[in-house]
Amino acid sequence: MIRKSGCRFSEKIMLKQRDRAMDLSIRNVRKEFDRFAALDDVSLDIRSGELIALLGPSGSGKTTLLRLIAGLDHPTGGQIFFGGEDASVKTVQERNIGFVFQSYALFRHMNVLDNIGFGLSVRRGADRMAKAEIARRATELLDLVQLSGLERRYPHQLSGGQRQRVALARAMAIEPSVLLLDEPFGALDAKVRRDLRSWLREIHDATGHTTVFVTHDQDEALELADRVVVMNEGRIEQIGTADDVYDTPNSPFVFGFIGESSSLPIHVEAGQLWFEDRPLGLPAGDAPDGKALLYFRPQEVKLLDGCGGCIAGTVAAGRRVAGTRRLELEVGGHRERVEIEVPASHPAAARSRIAFRPEKWRLFGTPGEAAPSEKVRRISGWPAAVQAGEGSSAARR
Amino acid sequence: MATALAHAGWRFRRPSVIPGFGLTFGFSIAYLSLIVLIPLAGVVWRSASLGWPEFWRIASDPRTLGALKMSFGGALAAALVNIVFGTLVAWVLVRYRFPGKRIVDAMVDLPFALPTAVAGIALTTLYAPNGWIGGLLAPLGIKVAYTPLGIIVAMVFIGLPFVVRTVQPVMEEIDREVEEAAATLGARRAQTVRRVILPGLAPAILTGFALAFARAVGEYGSVIFIAGNIPYVSEIAPLLIVIRLEEYNYAAATAIATVMLAISFAMLFVINLIQAWSRRRYGYGH
Ligand SMILES: Nc1ncnc2c1ncn2[C@@H]1O[C@H](COP(=O)(O)OP(=O)(O)O)[C@@H](O)[C@H]1O
Ligand SMILES: [Mg+2]
């Protein structure tokens, strides 16, 4: 359905965009709705031409942030800069932002071509464009989003994926300095999502827009974006490449939200990690003594035969996941549940005992122990190499 | 009959999977016949007994023509005024919050509920040369009561709620994001209203227009008080029908009624066609 060819885009569109793309700087922005802080002290620098994903659960403030950038809402505090210029003095119309709404928000009484050309047709004065020129540009964009032939259709005659692409073409028609997409593929089925995903990356690479897109789908964010901004409860948890946020998550939230994870309450004592009264055989580095949470990924564990420093548990449930097997183990006196991955051939009988040790892990402070304002936050002051065990602990010693 | 229709290329709308099409359709037709069709057919039948020459003589009588022109022209003007100000009132009620909003909202319905004679008397008192408003207008040389202008004022009064109440719910449904999309694309407010909001409201405004127009054409009670009822000048067709009835000239009364019926039906039918066309084209109601 979507032809894969990156070279169909008019040179003109591409060059113009590269000139217009713009740095974006968000500084300490706060947004309150009736005293409720939807965004709290958000700072983010976006480089010209970058493709950024805002990733977070529903209600984490992603849409709110996009709307502030577009000027559809105004921040309660903080500032937004477009290429060094304070945006607060600019109206929505002046910001020249391409916004693709989650609901598409197409003009239902206009056909596809008129929808795409709308932004050009409302220009007045020196920027005014001739009808023929508008139609030509709109046709060109329609070709870019691969909908040629549907010029005369009305929005209600299009599928969800087609509407999505019309909305994108409409936003790109005004040669925006920043392109904002709110859950661009949210309402589409899985197959169409995957197609559009790679297609969006191609378009971005070809046109060079500074692009911010919102998603709650981690695969989408990790696959598509140059950098991922992980948001939670109105705050930015972490900003980084796909590798950064997956391999070195800096908070329990990020660890839990991106990829799969298991966690265990442990304590640090005498330079060792302890689960209940057993040592795990993992060095604590210079983590302070006391309670902590151990996070690891089910894939990153090593099965052990004996247990002279390990986590041991009883198999509570097992399921086959593609080429491997996932086991749920009950460990310790409180029957804490953790998940680990074993080879598909592993004879994991129910109620049998299994011992393992995480090969990579991170420690975070527990909610009760951390400073009240910080809640579940990273224990600060630990060098990264210590909080994250890399490779086997034996090799590190 | 059914096969003849099918051959002629006609198709009933395909019954949906929801059962009961036959029953509800049959009931609707029977009910409409009883309530609407048969009484109206009686009117046409009665006037048909006049014979064509006699019918034509009554219909083309200058006094009849004057009354028809007054009724339809006045209703048209009133409906046009109403779609402008009715839409404005709906906009204010939907888009703004202000103290007393509920009261204003309720006031819109008053012309619905008021006995038309009360409205007529109230308007006449206001607009008469010695009334509050009439007194202000008199020095400017504008006469409202007892002129065609007065008729239009009464028709505007009774038609207003039809426009407000048909446009209001559609306006409430307008997607905020569509307006915001227009703004991000660079459209100024006036451009958004003219090119995005109004076209979206057009079907509802047209419906409001049709209702206000139909109501004004048929209005009697409130108009006759303010009209002055001067033959050839400010006499409405419904009044002329009553005058003929009081003269026991039933034939003339039904002839005028038939002409009114034909014009009204033709206009409403055309409006309906436009509605159906726009609905198909823009996918409203999908
Ligand atoms: N206009 C508004 N009025 C009040 N609360 C709002 C408004 N918009 C958003 N919120 C609240 O702000 C929070 C963040 O919303 P939003 O930015 O839409 O989240 P997301 O897009 O990440 O799902 C939510 O708790 C939401 O209820
Ligand atoms: Mg959202």
Side-chain angles (χ1 to χ4, degrees):
Chain A
M1 161 190 160
I2 289 167
R3 287 158 292 166
K4 301 233 164 135
S5 56
C7 52
R8 307 171 60 253
F9 316 136
S10 130
E11 287 283 317
K12 241 188 180 163
I13 295 186
M14 295 166 48
L15 294 177
K16 273 189 197 141
Q17 291 317 327
R18 294 214 189 281
D19 295 344
R20 280 174 165 264
M22 202 182 265
D23 285 350
L24 192 62
S25 178
I26 296 154
R27 302 197 192 146
N28 310 104
V29 160
R30 179 177 176 84
K31 176 66 184 176
E32 288 175 13
F33 294 109
D34 307 324
R35 317 290 312 273
F36 166 79
L39 286 179
D40 184 10
D41 195 20
V42 165
S43 296
L44 175 63
D45 281 302
I46 298 171
R47 291 184 284 272
S48 173
E50 222 178 356
L51 181 55
I52 291 271
L54 297 185
L55 174 64
S58 178
S60 54
K62 309 180 295 291
T63 300
T64 305
L65 182 53
L66 280 200
R67 292 177 58 88
L68 292 183
I69 296 173
L72 295 172
D73 276 322
H74 297 284
T76 314
Q79 283 167 304
I80 296 172
F81 290 89
F82 289 160
E85 220 181 328
D86 189 345
S88 63
V89 299
K90 291 184 166 190
T91 63
V92 181
Q93 285 86 349
E94 289 164 350
R95 291 191 190 200
N96 195 42
I97 294 235
F99 201 115
V100 177
F101 290 84
Q102 196 170 358
S103 63
Y104 315 139
L106 295 177
F107 307 129
R108 61 196 305 193
H109 59 276
M110 291 183 204
N111 65 29
V112 166
L113 213 57
D114 291 340
N115 260 284
I116 297 176
F118 181 84
L120 301 176
S121 71
V122 294
R123 290 188 179 171
R124 290 288 170 267
D127 298 333
R128 194 188 190 104
M129 279 175 82
K131 276 219 168 78
E133 174 66 6
I134 294 173
R136 199 188 58 72
R137 288 284 313 273
T139 313
E140 208 170 83
L141 278 157
L142 203 61
D143 193 41
L144 175 69
V145 298
Q146 299 166 350
L147 289 177
S148 302
L150 302 185
E151 289 85 351
R152 305 270 158 238
R153 294 266 189 98
Y154 285 88
H156 73 106
Q157 297 167 316
L158 301 175
S159 73
Q162 290 169 333
R163 281 179 211 179
Q164 172 59 55
R165 283 182 277 161
V166 172
L168 184 59
R170 184 179 69 175
M172 293 200 302
I174 59 168
E175 295 166 15
S177 36
V178 181
L179 197 52
L180 306 176
L181 313 170
D182 194 357
E183 309 224 4
F185 315 126
L188 307 174
D189 61 72
K191 167 85 176 74
V192 179
R193 282 178 88 114
R194 272 195 302 278
D195 283 347
L196 282 178
R197 211 187 277 176
S198 46
W199 169 83
L200 179 66
R201 180 77 228 187
E202 276 174 32
I203 287 208
H204 176 265
D205 291 346
T207 61
H209 284 111
T210 307
T211 306
V212 181
F213 78 98
V214 160
T215 179
H216 58 250
D217 179 340
Q218 47 166 303
D219 292 341
E220 210 162 274
L222 298 180
E223 183 183 324
L224 210 48
D226 297 324
R227 286 193 301 156
V228 177
V229 177
V230 186
M231 295 187 63
N232 182 36
E233 293 181 349
R235 290 169 162 274
I236 291 181
E237 293 275 344
Q238 188 169 4
I239 304 172
T241 62
D243 288 344
D244 292 340
V245 294
Y246 189 87
D247 292 333
T248 50
N250 67 0
S251 73
F253 173 81
V254 178
F255 208 118
F257 191 70
I258 295 177
E260 289 155 300
S261 65
S262 287
S263 70
L264 263 187
I266 53 131
H267 60 272
V268 180
E269 204 179 303
Q272 278 271 352
L273 304 189
W274 298 74
F275 176 62
E276 294 181 348
D277 55 354
R278 281 164 179 268
L280 302 186
L282 302 176
D286 49 4
D289 282 2
K291 288 187 182 169
L293 281 170
L294 173 75
Y295 276 79
F296 60 93
R297 303 207 185 274
Q299 309 87 305
E300 297 169 346
V301 299
K302 185 179 168 199
L303 295 184
L304 302 171
D305 290 332
C307 192
C310 70
I311 303 172
T314 316
V315 178
R319 62 197 153 87
R320 177 69 185 258
V321 179
T324 63
R325 193 177 298 281
R326 283 292 169 84
L327 299 180
E328 236 176 78
L329 302 182
E330 285 175 351
V331 299
H334 297 294
R335 301 193 164 196
E336 301 279 352
R337 291 218 167 192
V338 296
E339 198 169 78
I340 63 167
E341 193 171 284
V342 298
S345 57
H346 192 278
R351 316 274 9 130
S352 63
R353 277 189 79 76
I354 290 189
F356 71 95
R357 184 186 300 146
E359 295 191 287
K360 288 185 178 180
W361 73 92
R362 286 179 86 80
L363 283 185
F364 297 102
T366 57
E369 302 292 291
S373 63
E374 284 259 307
K375 292 242 162 146
V376 187
R377 295 248 142 213
R378 177 159 70 112
I379 294 175
S380 47
W382 297 2
V386 175
Q387 348 160 8
E390 300 283 345
S392 75
S393 37
R396 290 168 41 80
R397 228 174 269 145
Chain B
M1 173 76 181
T3 51
L5 279 179
H7 280 300
W10 279 79
R11 266 273 183 79
F12 280 117
R13 177 173 227 163
R14 195 170 296 239
S16 72
V17 285
I18 305 164
F21 171 73
L23 191 67
T24 51
F25 183 74
F27 180 78
S28 304
I29 290 296
Y31 186 80
L32 277 178
S33 302
L34 206 66
I35 300 291
V36 181
L37 225 48
I38 293 176
L40 293 185
V43 171
V44 176
W45 178 255
R46 187 75 196 244
S47 67
S49 66
L50 280 172
W52 182 250
E54 179 60 12
F55 177 81
W56 185 248
R57 196 189 58 72
I58 296 170
S60 60
D61 173 65
R63 186 163 173 194
T64 312
L65 285 182
L68 287 172
K69 229 161 75 189
M70 185 65 248
S71 274
F72 284 99
L76 203 66
L80 287 174
V81 170
N82 268 331
I83 58 174
V84 175
F85 292 98
T87 306
L88 208 67
V89 170
W91 179 264
V92 168
L93 288 177
V94 170
R95 287 304 173 94
Y96 303 107
R97 276 194 221 165
F98 51 91
K101 175 172 165 165
R102 291 272 147 255
I103 296 171
V104 174
D105 202 356
M107 244 162 54
V108 169
D109 286 329
L110 272 184
F112 268 150
L114 224 53
T116 50
V118 176
I121 293 166
L123 286 173
T124 311
T125 327
L126 269 182
Y127 284 97
N130 55 357
W132 282 358
I133 301 178
L136 291 176
L137 293 174
L140 306 173
I142 302 171
K143 271 192 71 182
V144 179
Y146 318 125
T147 68
L149 193 57
I151 297 179
I152 295 175
V153 167
M155 287 174 164
V156 167
F157 175 81
I158 49 152
L160 179 72
F162 290 92
V163 177
V164 177
R165 293 299 180 227
T166 45
V167 171
Q168 200 177 8
V170 181
M171 207 177 258
E172 268 159 6
E173 293 294 302
I174 292 179
D175 189 356
R176 257 323 248 276
E177 292 190 344
V178 171
E179 285 171 53
E180 291 175 344
T184 60
L185 292 167
R188 278 159 303 149
R189 195 66 194 146
Q191 288 173 315
T192 305
V193 169
R194 191 165 50 80
R195 298 200 39 201
V196 175
I197 298 175
L198 282 182
L201 291 176
I205 293 176
L206 196 60
T207 304
F209 175 83
L211 291 174
F213 172 79
R215 173 70 207 268
V217 166
E219 179 57 13
Y220 177 79
S222 59
V223 172
I224 55 166
F225 285 96
I226 202 173
N229 306 323
I230 307 155
Y232 306 103
V233 177
S234 61
E235 185 178 56
I236 53 169
L239 177 68
L240 189 57
I241 294 174
V242 173
I243 291 172
R244 293 292 180 245
L245 285 177
E246 282 169 351
E247 296 165 349
Y248 301 106
N249 188 351
Y250 295 124
T254 52
I256 301 169
T258 304
V259 175
M260 283 193 83
L261 190 65
I263 299 175
S264 293
F265 184 75
M267 292 196 67
L268 293 177
F269 188 66
V270 168
I271 289 173
N272 247 310
L273 285 184
I274 298 174
Q275 296 276 35
W277 171 82
S278 77
R279 206 166 288 143
R280 239 194 344 271
R281 188 175 162 106
Y282 303 135
Y284 289 97
H286 276 255

